Amino acid sequence: MDFILGHYNYWIVIFLMMIGFYTVVSRGNLIKKIVGLNIFQTSVFLLYISIGNVKEGTTPIVAEGFTQYSNPLPSVLILTAIVVGVATTALGLALVVRIKEAYGSIEEDDIHDQDQSL
Amino acid sequence: MRHNLILRVIAKILIPVIILFALYVQFHGDYGPGGGFQAGVIFSVAFILYALVFGLDTAERVLPVSVLRLLASLGVLIYAGTGFAALLLGGKFLDYNVLAADPVAGQHLGILIIELGVGITVSSVMLIIFFAFAGRGRV
């Protein structure tokens, strides 16, 4: 029991990851797919940052009276990942805007039907 | 939204505070949590709020996209320029120690300049993305 509760950060990560994955797979709306992809991304951020946390550790800033601090490397890595995530979201939204202009719809089924009827 | 008085007044009060907070996050990044990425995004939020409340055309008059493109490349230039300045002063690329008389002051100076470059680029790229999306379909 302690093994399960002690690793609660992993459960949160798995829960969020599966929510995002399910949203990407099951929804036909392209904007909802991007939202799902972002939730998936956030779960990976949480995974890395929670692993980098050290028990009783402070933020990795030099200060009087603190010697133990959390590992700053995952945070730096995830800072870059967040920026990349913003860029990929912008790219995905730009593609959705172009698809909407070309097909007049952002529902995947409609787009497939229009492709079939050509 | 041009005639929404409450929204306009609140936005006018909020925008300077947002910019001030962005500058705090920007220049406090060497001692506390903060830095160019976060500050750039907060800074651009102030202008996006302005564009949402006062209209896209007014916002583009304040910050034209051509100026934003120049700023986006200026940030990269500051970043790379700091690296080459360190090279010219006898250190390695992005070696802040040689930027000032003693290494500690050099580290402070280096990270502040680097983060300034990052902040300028991030805020202008965010605004370019916003204007590119919001300006579509408007000839």
Side-chain angles (χ1 to χ4, degrees):
Chain A
M1 196 62 192
D2 197 42
F3 180 78
I4 293 171
L5 289 179
H7 294 86
Y8 66 92
N9 56 332
Y10 292 109
W11 296 112
I12 294 170
V13 166
I14 291 167
F15 186 65
L16 279 177
M17 198 176 265
M18 288 305 119
I19 289 175
F21 186 55
Y22 180 74
T23 313
V24 171
V25 173
S26 68
R27 299 293 134 174
N29 191 313
L30 294 174
I31 296 287
K32 285 180 184 169
K33 272 184 198 292
I34 291 176
V35 171
L37 211 61
N38 274 318
I39 295 171
F40 194 98
Q41 237 172 17
T42 310
S43 75
V44 179
F45 300 161
L46 279 177
L47 174 71
Y48 272 73
I49 292 170
S50 62
I51 288 172
N53 185 43
V54 173
K55 219 174 192 177
E56 320 252 306
T58 62
T59 46
I61 295 164
V62 178
E64 292 290 324
F66 296 105
T67 50
Q68 201 172 26
Y69 54 87
S70 294
N71 189 354
L73 201 59
S75 303
V76 173
L77 200 67
I78 291 310
L79 179 63
T80 312
I82 290 169
V83 176
V84 174
V86 169
T88 50
T89 306
L91 179 69
L93 288 172
L95 288 174
V96 172
V97 168
R98 280 296 292 129
I99 289 169
K100 167 78 178 168
E101 283 176 1
Y103 289 87
S105 168
I106 54 169
E107 292 291 336
E108 214 176 29
D109 298 338
D110 289 353
I111 294 164
H112 279 306
D113 287 344
Q114 288 186 35
D115 275 342
Q116 296 295 321
S117 63
L118 280 177
Chain B
M1 263 190 232
R2 211 156 278 271
H3 302 291
N4 209 330
L5 185 65
I6 294 171
L7 206 60
R8 289 164 72 101
V9 171
I10 295 293
K12 272 185 183 166
I13 296 168
L14 267 181
I15 286 167
V17 179
I18 295 172
I19 292 177
L20 201 65
F21 183 61
L23 290 174
Y24 165 76
V25 171
Q26 171 82 55
F27 293 108
H28 205 253
D30 54 342
Y31 273 119
F37 286 117
Q38 299 90 318
V41 172
I42 296 169
F43 196 81
S44 60
V45 160
F47 285 97
I48 290 173
L49 181 65
Y50 184 82
L52 288 176
V53 175
F54 295 96
L56 211 58
D57 297 316
T58 329
E60 275 187 350
R61 263 211 303 284
V62 176
L63 268 177
V65 175
S66 53
V67 173
L68 286 174
R69 289 207 182 110
L70 279 178
L71 281 175
S73 24
L74 177 75
V76 181
L77 186 73
I78 291 173
Y79 197 112
T82 314
F84 282 112
L87 267 184
L88 291 174
L89 287 168
K92 299 188 183 72
F93 188 72
L94 289 178
D95 184 5
Y96 307 143
N97 288 354
V98 295
L99 285 176
D102 68 306
V104 175
Q107 288 281 348
H108 274 303
L109 188 66
I111 197 69
L112 278 179
I113 296 171
I114 287 286
E115 291 294 333
L116 186 66
V118 172
I120 290 172
T121 299
V122 168
S123 60
S124 43
V125 166
M126 282 291 160
L127 284 170
I128 288 172
I129 291 173
F130 172 74
F131 283 138
F133 273 122
R136 268 195 91 79
R138 183 193 58 154
V139 184

